[in-house]
């Protein structure tokens, strides 16, 4: 609820990804809306908490942990999700963030934690393991390569794989003509 801390939480990725030219910045207002418990509809049925780790005033990492009661009731599970994990290359800071998330979930009687997985189904999910040298695909996360070790060291295991591909050409060249006509008709 502290505006300064909300800004710090939102701005951290810009520090972490300043040397990652393929990173696509988030829409800043979206995160601030999600953090507003009195206005965002998620909090009508569920709860979330946001954690940050700092060292001598320097912000090192952040994480959100979610208790989506609708999901738990529908699936008859006691599952938490974590999202918005961002951390400098500091294993202890990452461990503290993941520990805070799992402890928060445990105190609410949740016995499983999955992530990164966001507030909505349309939120990106998972962790980029290969392809850090390529522009991220829609719905596929982009993160530093060292995140994989953070999660492995904490004891997380992979639930599934998601693949994306790169199409260098279209099977039917007419698609380019159609795209040009559509672009001329609208504000695309």
């Amino acid at each position: 609820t502290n505006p300064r801390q909300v800004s710090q939480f939102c701005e951290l990725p810009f520090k972490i990804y300043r040397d990652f030219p393929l990173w696509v910045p988030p829409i800043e207002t979206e995160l601030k809306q999600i953090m507003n418990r009195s206005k965002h509809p998620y909090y009508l049925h569920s709860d979330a908490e946001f954690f940050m780790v700092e060292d001598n005033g320097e912000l090192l990492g952040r994480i959100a942990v979610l208790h989506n009661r609708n999901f738990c009731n529908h699936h008859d599970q006691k599952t938490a999700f974590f999202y918005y994990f961002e951390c400098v290359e500091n294993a202890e800071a990452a461990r503290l963030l993941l520990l805070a998330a799992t402890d928060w979930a445990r105190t609410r009687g949740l016995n499983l934690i999955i992530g990164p997985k966001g507030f909505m189904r349309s939120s990106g999910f998972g962790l980029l393991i290969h392809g850090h040298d390529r522009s991220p695909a829609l719905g596929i996360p982009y993160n530093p390569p060292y995140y994989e070790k953070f999660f492995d060291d904490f004891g997380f295991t992979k639930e599934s794989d998601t693949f994306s591909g790169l199409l260098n050409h279209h099977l039917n060249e007419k698609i380019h003509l159609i795209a040009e006509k559509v672009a001329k008709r609208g504000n695309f």
Side-chain angles (χ1 to χ4, degrees), residues 155-181:
F156 284 136
T157 58
K158 175 178 65 171
E159 181 182 63
S160 62
D161 288 315
T162 301
F163 295 93
S164 68
L166 178 64
L167 182 63
N168 290 324
H169 67 283
H170 295 285
L171 299 177
N172 186 335
E173 291 299 320
K174 289 182 184 177
I175 197 162
H176 294 289
L177 297 173
I178 294 168
E180 288 175 21
K181 288 180 182 179

Side-chain angles (χ1 to χ4, degrees), residues 45-108:
H45 59 78
S46 296
D47 197 13
E49 193 57 73
F50 302 85
F51 295 96
M52 296 187 295
V53 169
E54 63 176 44
D55 183 24
N56 293 320
E58 180 187 358
L59 186 59
L60 302 179
R62 71 177 197 185
I63 195 168
V65 59
L66 296 65
H67 179 191
N68 186 327
R69 289 185 187 93
N70 287 349
F71 176 92
C72 291
N73 292 337
H74 179 76
H75 294 282
D76 194 28
Q77 294 179 355
K78 296 179 179 181
T79 302
F81 300 101
F82 71 89
Y83 199 53
Y84 296 127
F85 176 87
E86 299 291 355
C87 192
V88 298
E89 196 168 358
N90 181 310
E92 180 61 10
R95 188 189 72 76
L96 290 170
L97 289 166
L98 296 169
L99 185 62
T102 54
D103 284 350
W104 185 90
R106 191 176 295 112
T107 62
R108 281 153 184 75

